[in-house]
Amino acid sequence: MTSGTLASGGTAVAPPTDAGRAGILTLFLVALVVVTIAEAIGNVAIPLGHGKIILLPLLWALLMGGGLGLAAPRLPRSLRLPVALQHAAGAILQPALLLFVAKLGLLVGGSLPKILSAGWALAFQEFGHFFGTMVFGLPVALLLGLKREAIGATFSVGREPSLAIIGERFGMDSPEGRGVLAEYLTGTVFGAVFIAVLAGLIASLGIFNPLALAMGAGVGSGSMMAAAAGAIAAQQTPEMAKEVATFAAASNLITTTIGTYFTLFLSLPFTIWAYGVLEPILGRGRGRTEAAPEPATAVAAHAAPAFGLPALVLIWLATAAFGLIGNRLTYGTAIDGQVLIGAAIIVGAVIVGEVLYRLAGRRLPAVVWVSLIGMALTYPGTPFSAEIAAATGRINFLALATPILAFAGLSLAKDFPAFRRLGWRIVVVSFMANAGTFLGAALIAQFWMPPPV
């Protein structure tokens, strides 16, 4: 390879050759096997006091994909996952994430009336969710010696939309991309346990309105929200416990949907600015020039492939098909005509969003266009919005997340040396970010709530 181009995130890319196409087909077959096994395992519930932690198929897909890459040197040649395919998996991850973004947009449109009627407390506490991660996490990350990985690790709690935002802005091979992936993995494995313990401890102090704590529990992760809300509700009367569950679900809905725009337009730019201000003061090795990233020519041997629009459409169709398999295995939804129509609508929203993104000169991120298309399709009053919501509503958004996290896992091994360098530090930073999103939202909500009776 003599030359390549750069993806929007800065990752070296090159047009796939015939051998490259065969390798990508193999990669999709491996991903299909990983998704099928992960969905067959299904949800695993682990009791935790009065609540429980639910380990989802997307976690199994992430771990299996990562395990295949890490075990490659010890596997027979026919079963190895070469570094080139690990880079290809990383390149597929970014467009595949747009399917998840489209699904969130479809949820937002139909839920806008409910969101708008939820009250000022639910509205303003979102600022705590999306700035608390940075306020609590970024200084600690810098003190522990993280560099630009700190941006990806602390601008949010690192859920799927955050992967999409960082992937498009910086590329998943960037320090920011490694930071958000490390935050996602750490939060997925340890987040529910940590936030359940923290929420239970804070609730036992009796200094917060339980409903304010419930809103703090809506961090944008279903498993973490369930764990935190359960720990809070376990210390309340039966009537208040129901209120806690209701407010936690409403907050989580807002964080999961509107949160994409908060992180994109507010918390990420603010975290980048804060990093520039704080790193010279708190960062280890301050005064030294940060090492520049490798130029594209230095990594050309493992350059990620560039995908044209036809190839992207095939990626979206295959990823949606994998999602339907998970939707059937884990959530018991038959793959009938309505489900296929729903999947086609989601893929269609992504295609239209991508086309608008290109026609607009790539000035706004593709995630914005895709989200707006999804919201417009299900907004009450839009023709056929009810039918679109019904068709797409039969596809669980977590089923779409499983194949995406399978590709994320298959791309992890190439970054393992960087993750190993981060080590225990990223676990501490993740805990601080999770504590920040919970406490920040609860503190703001407390000002808008009457004291508990």
Side-chain angles (χ1 to χ4, degrees), residues 3-256:
S3 64
T5 59
L6 287 179
S8 59
T11 303
V13 295
T17 62
D18 289 340
R21 293 187 185 95
I24 291 173
L25 177 59
T26 300
L27 181 63
F28 271 95
L29 291 175
V30 172
L32 175 60
V33 172
V34 169
V35 169
T36 303
I37 295 174
E39 296 288 4
I41 295 173
N43 299 335
V44 176
I46 300 177
L48 184 68
H50 294 282
K52 60 183 178 181
I53 300 170
I54 300 177
L55 303 180
L56 302 172
L58 58 87
L59 173 60
W60 309 130
L62 183 68
L63 294 178
M64 281 191 290
L68 281 174
L70 293 174
R74 301 175 182 84
L75 294 175
R77 183 175 298 274
S78 60
L79 298 178
R80 291 179 185 175
L81 190 69
V83 175
L85 286 188
Q86 295 171 22
H87 280 274
I92 291 169
L93 172 62
Q94 183 175 329
L97 278 163
L98 291 178
L99 288 174
F100 188 84
V101 172
K103 174 62 179 176
L104 289 183
L106 291 160
L107 287 174
V108 172
S111 302
L112 275 177
K114 179 179 179 181
I115 292 172
L116 294 175
S117 65
W120 289 112
L122 275 172
F124 283 106
Q125 55 92 33
E126 284 304 307
F127 287 94
H129 277 307
F130 294 104
F131 288 109
T133 55
M134 185 278 297
V135 171
F136 279 66
L138 183 61
V140 174
L142 294 176
L143 288 171
L144 291 177
L146 271 66
K147 292 296 185 180
R148 295 194 67 85
E149 291 90 350
I151 294 174
T154 64
F155 87 105
S156 72
V157 290
R159 297 299 90 194
E160 291 83 358
S162 301
L163 297 179
I165 290 169
I166 289 292
E168 185 167 340
R169 176 72 180 269
F170 298 102
M172 296 309 293
D173 283 335
S174 65
E176 293 85 354
R178 290 192 294 271
V180 74
L181 272 175
E183 163 68 8
Y184 184 92
L185 181 59
T186 304
T188 300
V189 175
F190 303 114
V193 176
F194 171 76
I195 204 162
V197 173
L198 176 66
L201 174 63
I202 298 299
S204 69
L205 300 178
I207 58 178
F208 280 93
N209 186 312
L211 299 185
L213 292 177
M215 285 183 269
V219 298
S221 163
S223 59
M224 291 172 67
M225 183 272 289
I232 298 165
Q235 303 181 48
Q236 314 302 324
T237 64
E239 294 77 13
M240 180 57 74
K242 293 179 182 179
E243 291 287 317
V244 166
T246 300
F247 273 77
S251 174
N252 205 63
L253 174 64
I254 297 173
T255 306
T256 303

Side-chain angles (χ1 to χ4, degrees), residues 28 99 313-323 403 407:
F28 271 95
L99 288 174
V313 172
L314 292 176
I315 289 172
W316 292 325
L317 289 172
T319 305
F322 294 175
F407 287 118

Side-chain angles (χ1 to χ4, degrees), residues 285-348:
R286 44 191 176 272
R288 293 203 307 260
T289 302
E290 199 168 339
E294 294 183 64
T297 54
V299 293
H302 298 303
F307 300 113
L309 189 58
L312 289 175
V313 172
L314 292 176
I315 289 172
W316 292 325
L317 289 172
T319 305
F322 294 175
L324 293 185
I325 293 173
N327 206 46
R328 177 69 181 90
L329 291 176
T330 300
Y331 303 100
T333 304
I335 305 177
D336 55 20
Q338 189 181 33
V339 168
L340 291 175
I341 291 172
I345 292 171
I346 293 172
V347 173

